[in-house]
Amino acid sequence: MMLYPPMNQLTANVPNRYLLVNVVARRARQIAQEAEDAGEKLDVKPVTLAIQEVADGKLSVAAADIVITDVEG
């Protein structure tokens, strides 16, 4: 079974698998809440979006808080 993005790409940005799960879950909840507040319907699941943000390097872990970097491209 192929996983995308690969685990080594995800753990490059969040070094611990257990912390990765926590970061993705927190961000997915934020994404879902933001969409609900805006009245938007998401075509992609929030967890998928959060995982993609980690893979793209837009999410990092700093003092157990999620930091979203403003990376365009």
Side-chain angles (χ1 to χ4, degrees), residues 13-56:
N13 296 318
V14 180
N16 181 318
R17 288 181 183 212
Y18 301 105
L19 186 55
L20 175 65
V21 170
N22 193 325
V23 168
V24 169
R26 287 172 129 190
R27 180 61 183 140
R29 279 188 233 111
Q30 285 179 347
I31 291 170
Q33 187 63 50
E34 290 169 3
E36 185 177 330
D37 291 346
E40 297 174 354
K41 181 184 178 295
L42 295 174
D43 295 330
V44 181
K45 293 183 179 183
V47 172
T48 303
L49 295 171
I51 289 172
Q52 192 59 50
E53 287 182 2
V54 171
D56 292 342

